[in-house]
Amino acid sequence: MFLLEAPQIRPLEPFTSLPEAYRRRERSEWADANRGGTVTDSFLEGPVFDGAGNLYVADIPWGRIFRIDPQGAWSLVAEYGGEPNGMKFLDADTLLIADYKNGLVRLHVPSGTVTPFLERRNSERFKGVNDLTFDAEGNLYFTDQGQSGLHDPSGRLYRLRPSGQLDLLLANVPSPNGVALSPDGRVLYLAATRGNCVWRVPLLPDGSVAKVGQFFTSYGPSGPDGLAVDAEGRVLVANPGLGVVWVLNGRAEPVEVLRGVPGSSTTNLAFGGPGRRGLFVTDSTHGQILHAPMSAAGLPVHRAAPLS
């Protein structure tokens, strides 16, 4: 990677860690398939903030959703038979979860009840959904990753419209993962983890996509995962294999590199705190949340379209 100007390098500082009482030091079906059988006491993903400033994260192997208050205290919201990953709020009380085992599910936060939202497409199960985001009109974009990769570039990107129409936008992605939209909503950024890159997906007025290209190329053992965009249009990329977050300008040049603690796996990220100027990053290796102040605020996170 050749750069005209060296990026600023800053540390990600520890914010809070999963309490020992919640760590499960035993084998899991998920870790057997995805972590080479390594005992994995947790694997945090899907950070998202509610309107009160609480941070919600998913724990994939044990089917748990946690709430972290602004002071860093943890509480268990739900535990169920799933493998939750990316999350966004449908409304103030309901989280929509991309669940690898169960498709899209909804969590009623006050009661901890989990119910189906979208389990199948045309009676066919998804490969394994991963992450999701809403646009300003209430369209839902979500990735269907499964075990796809360069050996099997058949991962999918879907759009679910408020009308209920489900559009298959891409079906050739090597491990589609995080998704985020540009400030004007006309471009979707898509992490292709096993391709070690981020794709740029123009969204056309007729609902189709065209001239999809490779926006950013990373390196290392595990490529881009979660994505976010700030008010300046910069794309932030969580790169677990390197333990960093890339902050990219409009030309995909790293202007900042936020480094996690040694051995960290920076899987996903969300803006929160006063003015959405804090970046909060899941470090899945250590079961903790990392933090860094940012010069630009994160874009507001949209929710589902209100019912008419």
Side-chain angles (χ1 to χ4, degrees), residues 11 19 31 56 58 62 74 76 82 84 88 104 116 126-127 135 154 174 242 288 296 300:
Y56 292 75
W62 304 115
W74 297 64
L76 181 63
K88 291 294 185 292
L104 300 178
F126 295 110
K127 288 175 173 290
D135 68 13
S154 61
L242 303 176
Q288 66 177 338

Side-chain angles (χ1 to χ4, degrees), residues 145 219 244:
Q145 181 186 52
Y219 59 92
V244 305

Side-chain angles (χ1 to χ4, degrees), residues 2 40 45 64 68 84 121 166-167 186 217 227 238 265 272 287 298:
F2 173 77
T40 304
E45 257 280 9
R64 299 184 293 185
I68 306 168
R121 173 183 183 265
L166 182 63
D167 304 317
R186 297 173 62 182
T217 304
L227 304 179
S265 179

Side-chain angles (χ1 to χ4, degrees), residues 24 28 30 34 42-48 56-66 76-88 95-107 114-115 128-132 143 145 177 225 267-268 282 284:
R24 295 183 60 175
S28 67
W30 179 87
N34 295 281
S42 62
F43 196 91
L44 303 181
E45 257 280 9
V48 63
Y56 292 75
V57 295
D59 176 22
I60 299 176
W62 304 115
R64 299 184 293 185
I65 308 299
F66 291 101
L76 181 63
V77 176
E79 183 172 359
Y80 71 104
E83 293 175 354
N85 202 316
M87 304 189 294
K88 291 294 185 292
L95 275 169
L96 183 63
I97 302 171
D99 185 299
Y100 188 91
K101 290 177 71 172
N102 302 310
L104 300 178
V105 301
R106 58 166 69 88
L107 165 62
V114 176
T115 55
V129 296
N130 185 284
D131 207 354
L132 70 175
T143 52
Q145 181 186 52
N177 201 322
D225 193 325
T267 51
N268 213 328
T282 49
S284 299

Side-chain angles (χ1 to χ4, degrees), residues 44 63 90 114 142 156 160 181 225-226 236 261 294:
L44 303 181
L90 279 167
V114 176
F142 65 96
R156 303 160 178 166
L160 180 63
L181 290 159
D225 193 325
L236 288 82
V261 297
M294 302 301 293

